[in-house]
Amino acid sequence: MITFIHSYLLLILFLWFQKVSTKIWAHILKFHNFVRSQIWCFGFKSYRKEPITMLVRCLRGVSRRACAQYSTVAEPIQKLDDFRTNEATVANHGLQHLGKYYRIEPEVKKQLFTYGGLPKSFEKQIKTFGETCLMVREPAVEVMHYIKSTDLSRPTVRYVLYGVDGAGKSLTMAHLLHFGLEQGFVLVHVPWVANWFKRPKETASSGSKEGFTDLPFDAASWLVHFKNQNASILPKLDLKVSKDYVWSIRETTPAGSTLLELIEHGIARVKFASDTVEALLHELKQHSTAGRCKTMVAIDGYNALFYPQTRILAENKVVVTPDKITLTKPFLDITKYDWTNGVCILSVDRIALNEERWESELPQYQLGKEGFEHVDPFVPIKVDNYNNKEFHSCINYYLNRRWIQNSAPGFDDELKYLSASNPFKLMNICAPL
Amino acid sequence: MFLATKLIEQNARNFAPRLASCHCRKLSTDPHASPEIDNDEEFRVLNLRQVQAQARPKRVIKKDVAAPPRANKMPVDQDWGAVWPGPKTFHPASVPLPLRQGYTEKAAAPPSKYGNAELMKIPNFLHLTPPVIKKQCEALKQFCTPWPKEIPSEEQWNKHFPMEVITTDYCHGLPTIRNPLSRIVTIKFKLSTLKLDKHAHDKFLRLVGERYDPETDVLTIVTDRCPLRKQNYEYAQYLLTALYHESWVTEPWESLKSEADMETYHFIRNKSKVSAEEILNWGKTEGGKKLVAHEAFGKSVENLMNEGENEYNIQAYKTEALKLLGLPSLKSTSP
């Protein structure tokens, strides 16, 4: 690998000194992006510093003008392409916008997805394209339609997103989060539940509950995520804590202090972060039911909460089940139907579980009987592969972003067959084109 | 002891003539007699070399000349049943067929039928050619009675005689005509011919276990524990009677059957119903009339659980869940 990188560097330098034409440079840059993506795909962590990228960036800085014509960086839009929509208000997205891309403002993206929420490969694409665009797709429009026509004084409705790998469950959830932000929901968003159970930062036995395991750093980082997502709305709502929370002899959060103070304490005292999450979600449920706020719960990989295995070992070297982890209970509680002014969007994903449960992506199989009974009655929302319209819209977008540069006649049909219209596969196949 | 004296006697008998001849030789050593004796007797020559014996005539080994395969001489219109009357190992010379069987290394033709062990290993049905079967059936016809006119069709026949009793008779050339296998009795019938209610049906199936085939609805009972066929047949009848009556009995402990013991998912017994009704009755006061979950919703959940998950069942569940939660579907409201 190292020899490969070295020879690759030498080749780039050589070409630079040869002063090759700009067109060839564009191809080299594209190839480099592909190589980089491959390196990341195979998980060569030692190359995260990416010396090649640094070098190429220096070179690119010099030849920016030359490369501009072939770069994938966004340019100001003069006229609206037919695969885009100007409708920036997510609530207005309807059936007439299906298959069209809308742009998410960088500030919004920063607020919503700084600490996760978009798949890594999609993040990389955003970086390359220089803009965050999401396609308006039917599942998201459908859920928004339901939310808009829901009587919020009724018990919380649970929506379960399901679909094959790479069909866009997480991005549908991202779209809905944007909707929630716009509509003034307090967002309770877990980007990927399986991260807690598969690769926790640290585990510790719980101080408050006998026999339970804490994930202090994960809980604290979730609190940071929560605080970031709700940074604009929490001060406005000015929600108060309903009872005293005694953390230790010297530390208490008295009744009447704001939720923000509670969160700040949880972040500062990582030891109590797990309990803080529980307290916070409990308070949010109370406030929502009382009508002081409305809450959108969005949990990706929700089925991991019901899978009887984790990769966490307790102190006695026994595998901990999810129900023995302090973070599980609050998120199960908040997805019950016993509160109002809320909406739950849950996604079930077979990747969240181990391979033995990969046979079907359908919700009941993924949730298991216990999980099914927990969320029943729910609204299953299928996130499917691209249909024809969405596929062509996506191809046009990639052409527009110059993500696809070689477009021989009939290339789109070929891509369709190769990717089976699966959004994730299509993105990967188009990378080296 | 007796043996020892016998041996000594025998030795004495053997030595006697020798001693006698020794004595003679000693007597004849006087000078007068010796020349005559020399002329008369010739010294035998000790020939250590092998004397050329007269060549014996070589025995001619008579080889039986193998008769040409009789298959070559068979007329085309012969009675094959007479050539091959019973089950027998394959014999190449008797079968006038150019058979080949077996594997060769190169892509050559398979070995011919002569000296071919492959053909001898496999069972053959050369004794059961269609004309032979026809002939045998004709011969058996005289022992048969005509089929009763009252039960012409199979449905009729199954209706009047729901139970099938299968026994086997063995016929072989042995001093005894008994075969222990002929005692075995098998009875078969369709379970639907028994009058059972839901509980009795369930219990019956649990009692018979793997003897019941759910695909064909046929129950099979095999009895072989008694020495005689009649006893086994009666035992099978007894078993069937006992099973039938036992399955109608409800024991007091059967009421303890919990959700985990259920064979199928029942909506009314499960948490699903509780959740659905709590959502429907949300915010209602104690005195108010309680709503009951839609039957269609229960049905869709049962289908999802019992039939297994598929896209159709999920869509049906979704439609019912939307109705239950009071949400308008997207398609119906769209222009």
Side-chain angles (χ1 to χ4, degrees), chain A residues 307-332:
Chain A
Y307 188 60
Q309 269 181 34
T310 62
R311 288 188 197 160
I312 302 169
L313 294 182
E315 278 171 350
N316 53 358
K317 303 293 174 205
V318 174
V319 174
V320 182
T321 51
D323 58 328
K324 286 287 174 195
I325 288 169
T326 37
L327 276 178
T328 307
K329 194 175 165 282
F331 286 99
L332 287 184

Side-chain angles (χ1 to χ4, degrees), chain A residues 142 154 162 364-365 376, chain B residues 272 279 309 311 317-318 334:
Chain A
E142 192 181 349
R154 304 279 307 151
Y162 70 97
Q364 197 237 319
Y365 176 80
D376 181 69
Chain B
S272 192
I279 288 176
E309 216 175 3
E311 212 49 68
Y317 173 79
K318 182 180 177 180
S334 64

Side-chain angles (χ1 to χ4, degrees), chain B residues 131-176:
Chain B
V132 169
I133 293 174
K134 214 172 182 181
K135 219 165 148 187
Q136 289 176 353
C137 287
E138 285 298 325
L140 284 173
K141 249 183 191 170
Q142 53 178 311
F143 303 110
C144 299
T145 52
W147 188 261
K149 286 193 190 80
E150 290 76 17
I151 40 171
S153 65
E154 198 171 336
E155 292 97 63
Q156 291 275 319
W157 152 34
N158 284 337
K159 191 185 156 201
H160 295 294
F161 301 97
M163 194 162 75
E164 194 182 349
V165 183
I166 302 165
T167 55
T168 316
D169 292 322
Y170 295 86
C171 176
H172 41 57
L174 283 181
T176 173

